[in-house]
Each structure stands twice: as structure tokens, then as C-alpha cells.
């Protein structure tokens, strides 16, 4: 009888058949990277919390175009979850993740345990100012401090030359660009385009939480945002009322069946400051909830 794919994947982890090379300590990671750098190779990092989907795999492929070796880190970072959030329930499936990375240009998986990342006595926290205060920062206090701290640690642990972050978490990407600039980190930051399912829903590890009826509604988020963007652009010459469009978007999301809307907001694409007119590259960002699941999406304008 053939083995269930999940069981088969689990039995392969850390066995000679594991399709991926996995390291768990900072020393082992640095050894590998040191060998590569000694040969003059450029090393890139794709930071993830695992539960890999097509969006993550597209980041691996994109980064591999710019670097010689790609590390994928898998670490469900406790510091970026609030006390009421889904840290315990967050999907953990390292064996399957390694199978998914097979056939991508990933060279190494770095999967540290929590006490490698945060040993006893760990006290430091990185905070990137203003840009993290609103949008996700307002709904998830402390979230971005946890992300900035772990990302900075991943950079210093790996010594990577470049790293890539998905545009789905647009505020996170902007924050990391600021952190790198502000702290003079020698890491080139790339943004990876959002990968969408057939109906436009942005790929996310949290999509697995959606029931079948919720999944149907979820696909409308992108459609409503695209409609708002079209309306904003159509009115741009005459000075579109972006505040009114944000309210219209919120109502449309509730009418479409979402349980709650955290925000629909037009922002400057680089500073993330609120805008009232479209006269520079902008971003339309939104979060709508279905039950406890928060769905993030954004569009370039
Ligand atoms: O985007 C994510 O998955 C996480 O926030 C990251 C960047 C891996 C840090 O834990």
C-alpha cells in the first residue's frame, strides 16, 4: 500500500531522502554561507513562516534570478503574534514545505527552533517608527516590532546579500526597506509580485482557514479594490474624492458578505502616508475579515 503523502513527507524529514538540505543552528548556517561567499557567490534569503504556497515559491524563483544561492528560512515567529492571535494554530508543515521547495532553485532551508532565535534572556526589540503605527500596526500592536526584530536577526545570522518579501504584506515590505536604509544594512531588498488564485484572491497561508462559503466571498476583495482603483483613476484629473471612495469600498465589502473591514486606504506608495490626491505612485491597501480570518490585499496605482 502506498504511504499518505503527508506521512511520507514527515518520514523523509532529516532523513537522507529529504529533498532539501536543512540546517537548524546559526553556526551551520554560517558555515554554508561562508563556503559560498569564499567562492564569490551572491547569497539571497527568502524569509518565511512556512506553510509555503505558490506565492512563496514565486519569491524563491524571482530571487534566484538575482543571486547565486537561495536560502529559505522557515520560522513561525512568536514575537509578531499578539496574545489573541493564531500563533498556536498557525500551520506548521516543514516536511511538506521541503517537498514543495523541491524543483525550485532553493539551495538550503534554515529552520531554527524558537530558543535558537530567542535564547533565554533575549531582551532586544527593533522598532521602525511612524510607518508602523497605523494600518496593520494599529490593528496588531507590536506586530511590526516582532517582524523587524526577527528579520534583522535573519539578516545577521545568514549574512545574506539580498532578500525578497512579498508585496501582499506591502506595509511590511515598506518597513523593511526603511529599516535597511536607516540601519545601513548591506542587504538588497526586492519586492515580489502578489500571486493570485483564479478568482483574484491573493495567495496566503491563512486562506486554509476559510470555509467553502467564506472562500467564495474572499475572491470579491480583489474585485472591489480593482473597481475602486478604476474609479480613483477615472476621477483623478478632476481630483477624485479618495475618502469617499474608501467609504464606498468599505460598504461594498460588507455588502459582498465580509464580516468586518479593518481598513480601505489610499496611501503614498513609498511613505505610506495618507493621500487626498493621486499625483505620485500610490497604493490602495485593504483588510477585510471573514470570521476570525483577516484577508490582506493591495493594488498599485
Ligand atoms: O511575511 C512573513 O511571513 C513574516 O512576517 C516574516 C517576514 C517571515 C517574518 O517572520
Amino acid at each position: 500500500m502506498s504511504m499518505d503523502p503527508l506521512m511520507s513527507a514527515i518520514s523523509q524529514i532529516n532523513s537522507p531522502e529529504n529533498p532539501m538540505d536543512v540546517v537548524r543552528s546559526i553556526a551551520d548556517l554560517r558555515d554554508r554561507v561562508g563556503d559560498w561567499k569564499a567562492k564569490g557567490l551572491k547569497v539571497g534569503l527568502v524569509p518565511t513562516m512556512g506553510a509555503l504556497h505558490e506565492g512563496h515559491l514565486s519569491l524563491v524563483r524571482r530571487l534566484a534570478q538575482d543571486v547565486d544561492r537561495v536560502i529559505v528560512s522557515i520560522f513561525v515567529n512568536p514575537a509578531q503574534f499578539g496574545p489573541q492571535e493564531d500563533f498556536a494554530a498557525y500551520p506548521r508543515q516543514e516536511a511538506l514545505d521541503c517537498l514543495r521547495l523541491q524543483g525550485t532553485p532553493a539551495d538550503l532551508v534554515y529552520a531554527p527552533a524558537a530558543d535558537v532565535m530567542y535564547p533565554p534572556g533575549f531582551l532586544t526589540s527593533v522598532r521602525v517608527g511612524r510607518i508602523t503605527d497605523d494600518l496593520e500596526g494599529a490593528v496588531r500592536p507590536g506586530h511590526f516590532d516582532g517582524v523587524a526584530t526577527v528579520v534583522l536577526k535573519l539578516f545577521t545570522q545568514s549574512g545574506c546579500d539580498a532578500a525578497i518579501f512579498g508585496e501582499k504584506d506591502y506595509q511590511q515590505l515598506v518597513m523593511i526597506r526603511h529599516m535597511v536604509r536607516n540601519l545601513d544594512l548591506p542587504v538588497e531588498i526586492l519586492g515580489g509580485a502578489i500571486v493570485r488564485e483564479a478568482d483574484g484572491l491573493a495567495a496566503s497561508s491563512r486562506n486554509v482557514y476559510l470555509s467553502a462559503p467564506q472562500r467564495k466571498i474572499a475572491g470579491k476583495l480583489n474585485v472591489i479594490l480593482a473597481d475602486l482603483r478604476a474609479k480613483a483613476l477615472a476621477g483623478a484629473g478632476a481630483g477624485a474624492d479618495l475618502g469617499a471612495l474608501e467609504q464606498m469600498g468599505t460598504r461594498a465589502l460588507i455588502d459582498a458578505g465580509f464580516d468586518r473591514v479593518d481598513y480601505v486606504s489610499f496611501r503614498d506608495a513609498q511613505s505610506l502616508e495618507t493621500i487626498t490626491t493621486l499625483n505620485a505612485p500610490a497604493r490602495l491597501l485593504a483588510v477585510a475579515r471573514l470570521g476570525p480570518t483577516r484577508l490582506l490585499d493591495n493594488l498599485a496605482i
Side-chain angles (χ1 to χ4, degrees), residues 47-49 75 77 80 147 150-151 165 169 172 176:
T48 83
M49 296 206 299
F75 179 67
N77 175 31
Q80 68 187 77
V147 174
V150 83
V151 168
F165 296 83
D169 296 302
Q172 169 174 282
I176 287 162

Side-chain angles (χ1 to χ4, degrees), residues 44-62:
L45 174 71
V46 184
T48 83
M49 296 206 299
L52 303 184
H53 50 66
E54 196 42 47
H56 296 111
L57 306 186
S58 76
L59 297 180
V60 174
R61 292 188 200 103
R62 172 64 193 85

Side-chain angles (χ1 to χ4, degrees), residues 122-300:
F122 187 86
L123 284 177
T124 303
S125 176
V126 180
R127 175 168 164 67
V128 181
R130 187 194 55 74
I131 226 157
T132 63
D133 288 341
D134 67 352
L135 300 170
E136 285 305 279
V139 184
R140 306 181 67 188
H143 167 71
F144 284 120
D145 299 357
V147 174
T149 304
V150 83
V151 168
L152 180 57
K153 283 178 69 75
L154 288 166
F155 287 175
T156 56
Q157 290 173 351
S158 67
C160 62
D161 303 299
I164 189 164
F165 296 83
E167 288 185 350
K168 187 179 76 70
D169 296 302
Y170 190 77
Q171 191 178 6
Q172 169 174 282
L173 172 62
V174 173
M175 174 193 78
I176 287 162
R177 286 194 198 283
H178 271 76
M179 177 177 81
V180 163
R181 255 199 318 273
N182 295 168
L183 298 182
D184 311 306
L185 303 175
V187 183
E188 183 191 332
I189 302 299
L190 282 80
I194 299 178
V195 169
R196 299 185 179 279
E197 298 188 15
D199 63 353
L201 177 66
S204 165
S205 304
R206 290 187 167 102
N207 290 350
V208 296
Y209 297 154
L210 299 172
S211 67
Q214 287 176 331
R215 174 63 191 80
K216 267 198 152 160
I217 298 169
K220 298 182 185 161
L221 174 55
N222 180 251
V223 176
I224 290 169
L225 292 188
D227 182 53
L228 284 184
R229 172 173 63 182
K231 288 191 164 71
L233 287 171
D241 184 345
L242 300 182
L245 286 177
E246 290 169 358
Q247 284 176 19
M248 185 189 295
T250 302
R251 270 196 312 276
L253 288 165
I254 296 295
D255 291 347
F258 287 91
D259 298 313
R260 198 168 135 184
V261 176
D262 286 348
Y263 53 82
V264 174
S265 195
F266 288 92
R267 297 291 171 121
D268 179 88
Q270 274 174 23
S271 68
L272 284 187
E273 288 193 14
T274 49
I275 50 171
T276 51
T277 51
L278 288 180
N279 50 17
R283 205 89 190 176
L284 172 58
L285 300 108
V287 173
R289 297 192 194 211
L290 284 166
T293 308
R294 301 179 69 244
L295 297 174
L296 283 74
D297 206 342
N298 64 82
L299 295 178

